[in-house]
Amino acid sequence: MSLTTMGGDGLHVESVALGDIAARFGTPCYVYSRAALTATYAAYRDALQAHGLADRSLVCYAVKANSNLAILNLFARLGAGFDIVSGGELARVLAAGGSAGKIVFSGVGKSRAEMRAALEAGIHCFNVESASELDQLDEVAGSLGRRAPVSLRVNPDVDAKTHPYISTGLKTAKFGIAFGEAFDIYRRAAHLPHIAVRGIDCHIGSQLLDPAPAAEAADKVLALVDRLAAAGIALEHIDLGGGMGIQYRADEPAPPVADYLAPMLAKLAGRREKLVFEPGRSLVGNAGLLLTRVQVLKPGEEKHFAVVDAAMNDLMRPALYDAWHDIVPVSATKVGAGDTATAMPYEIVGPVCESGDFLGHDRKLALNEGDLLAILSAGAYGMAMASNYNSRPRAAEVMVDGDATHLIRHREEVPELFALESVLP
Ligand SMILES: *Cc1c(COP(=O)(O)O)cnc(C)c1O
């Protein structure tokens, strides 16, 4: 399903014209679709249902992909759990109406304060990533007179075949407990007084398009689960992480969620453990776009630049991973006296003072100054990674719901940028 459709007055998200959104809320502006978010969540539930796993599985949305309260609240209403990686994300989920009992807490460096907050909230499970973290958690739980529910995040040493920055399941990664050490650490965990061993977890990377590495990881995890059971350590749940890839280019489709999950789910169908998944990108990525306006056209000898009002501080993925986002014009047919444009290859760049500040290279577009562009597939790791670099206020975010548009984060105002700072006395 495509997020946008072309109408007589240009590109729409659901029933709302992006031109109207720009006029009302300004640019740059993130635009999400409630229907698209609902549909991607339903795709997970349907895939689990098709394998008879719906009533013993939990889809925990990975909050770091997009942590806007409205998005968290929407997933909470749909019944999702949440995968968090910080105390800040814990607070967001609770503020958005998510239930603590459906939260799993991942991350290699949880602070004691974060452990305490999560224990007090009563989260479902800590995904523990090292032997040392296990000891610290035992101690913190003891000081609160509680037992901490844990899974060990094991590192299955499989190559997820994705960008090295978002590959997490190789031996060389900082994530998880080495597969060969996991059994012994489980045995130790089972004897710690303030630890309750509940499950196992693995997450091998992000933007995965080939289901084979995840299926291979699942095989390794299941073998370990069986070995633990034989040793008297019965696990209640198996968490197979997130990582499902999405379509970023019109000519590079991603497999549907059901197809990606099928090889994994087939292995799990006959078992008794509950299942957890931690998808982030695949729940939100294609459900959002970044709306921007062309400020200045700079034709050149070697390259033609289109300087837009969004930049690397708004959408970091191109600068960080050399990631591709399709960029499409918002207007349907060119109208007006200024319509002199012919299509040519543009470097789509922002105003930030870095040559790495680009949103797209070599895009063939017919542009006039003032035109609106939609940067697609920007719902995940877009606003969540935005910064104020160059003292740029972060963009507004809106959610379209049918013919209604809701402002879900107001555009930052300049005084807010330094409101927390002070000069010397
Ligand atoms: C980032 C992350 C996810 C989500 O990854 P996606 O690729 O966005 O689905 C899930 N689990 C853990 C532990 C993560 O770090």
Side-chain angles (χ1 to χ4, degrees):
M1 188 182 86
S2 169
L3 176 62
T4 56
T5 49
M6 189 50 92
D9 52 351
L11 220 50
H12 284 228
V13 166
E14 301 192 35
S15 306
V16 180
L18 288 174
D20 291 345
I21 291 179
R24 192 166 152 207
F25 301 102
T27 54
C29 179
Y30 276 98
V31 182
Y32 310 111
S33 155
R34 179 179 188 169
L37 292 164
T38 305
T40 52
Y41 183 76
Y44 272 91
R45 298 308 313 174
D46 291 350
L48 291 162
Q49 186 102 50
H51 287 78
L53 295 165
D55 52 358
R56 56 184 182 90
S57 58
L58 185 59
V59 176
C60 289
Y61 168 59
V63 172
K64 74 177 194 280
N66 187 325
S67 55
N68 184 288
L69 286 199
I71 287 175
L72 301 181
N73 173 259
L74 179 57
F75 286 133
R77 289 197 221 183
L78 293 170
F82 297 92
D83 172 49
I84 60 167
V85 292
S86 71
E89 289 189 350
L90 172 64
R92 276 184 178 275
V93 169
L94 298 177
S99 48
K102 290 183 178 176
I103 292 175
V104 296
F105 190 173
S106 303
V108 284
K110 302 173 189 79
S111 71
R112 282 162 198 261
E114 288 173 323
M115 291 174 181
R116 218 170 287 126
L119 283 164
E120 278 166 353
I123 66 164
H124 180 60
C125 197
F126 289 84
N127 290 337
V128 169
E129 303 215 14
S130 64
S132 194
E133 180 188 336
L134 190 65
D135 292 332
Q136 290 182 23
L137 185 58
D138 180 53
E139 201 182 296
V140 173
S143 74
L144 294 175
R146 292 176 191 243
R147 288 182 85 198
V150 306
S151 285
L152 298 190
R153 175 173 175 182
V154 299
N155 183 332
D157 193 27
V158 301
D159 185 355
K161 303 191 188 86
T162 186
H163 190 286
Y165 288 10
I166 51 176
S167 181
T168 57
L170 280 172
K171 260 188 203 159
T172 48
K174 70 176 175 180
F175 298 99
I177 289 171
F179 201 78
E181 294 169 18
F183 184 80
D184 288 341
I185 298 179
Y186 265 110
R187 287 224 290 211
R188 212 155 63 68
H191 290 107
L192 288 173
H194 306 292
I195 294 292
V197 173
R198 289 281 162 74
I200 190 165
D201 169 49
C202 105
H203 171 75
I204 59 170
S206 196
Q207 186 51 19
L208 312 181
L209 296 169
D210 174 1
E216 185 191 337
D219 273 333
K220 289 193 165 182
V221 166
L222 292 176
L224 181 55
V225 172
D226 292 340
R227 193 174 156 217
L228 286 165
I233 301 174
L235 301 184
E236 290 168 20
H237 75 254
I238 299 173
D239 179 342
L240 291 171
M244 288 56 118
I246 62 166
Q247 178 161 5
Y248 280 105
R249 306 176 70 124
D251 55 355
E252 279 177 18
V257 165
D259 294 1
Y260 183 90
L261 292 180
M264 251 187 293
L265 296 183
K267 298 176 194 299
L268 295 154
R271 304 187 62 102
R272 43 162 283 284
E273 297 89 357
K274 294 199 173 104
L275 280 183
V276 177
F277 286 98
E278 304 169 349
R281 185 190 312 270
S282 53
L283 284 176
V284 292
N286 284 331
L289 58 81
L290 176 57
L291 186 60
T292 184
R293 195 180 287 283
V294 177
Q295 307 275 84
V296 172
L297 293 177
K298 280 183 73 175
E301 269 180 35
E302 300 276 327
K303 289 190 165 173
H304 309 304
F305 291 96
V307 185
V308 300
D309 63 5
M312 66 185 285
N313 74 294
D314 300 299
L315 180 62
M316 203 183 177
R317 299 187 67 261
L320 185 61
Y321 314 119
D322 207 16
W324 177 286
H325 287 261
D326 279 346
I327 300 176
V328 298
V330 166
S331 56
T333 45
K334 297 274 176 180
V335 284
D339 177 21
T340 52
T342 47
M344 48 187 194
Y346 279 103
E347 296 295 300
I348 310 294
V349 301
V352 163
C353 302
E354 299 265 350
S355 289
D357 176 27
F358 75 95
L359 296 166
H361 290 307
D362 202 18
R363 304 306 175 91
K364 196 153 196 221
L365 291 163
L367 295 179
N368 287 299
E369 291 179 354
D371 282 357
L372 290 171
L373 294 172
I375 303 172
L376 303 181
S377 306
Y381 305 107
M383 186 63 174
M385 292 174 107
S387 78
N388 295 120
Y389 188 40
N390 279 211
S391 284
R392 290 169 48 84
R394 277 179 291 178
E397 293 179 286
V398 305
M399 176 93 70
V400 175
D401 181 9
D403 56 8
T405 309
H406 303 282
L407 182 64
I408 59 170
R409 190 177 205 274
H410 77 80
R411 180 179 309 287
E412 280 175 347
E413 291 176 18
V414 168
E416 292 178 284
L417 300 185
F418 46 84
L420 303 179
E421 299 169 25
S422 24
V423 298
L424 296 179

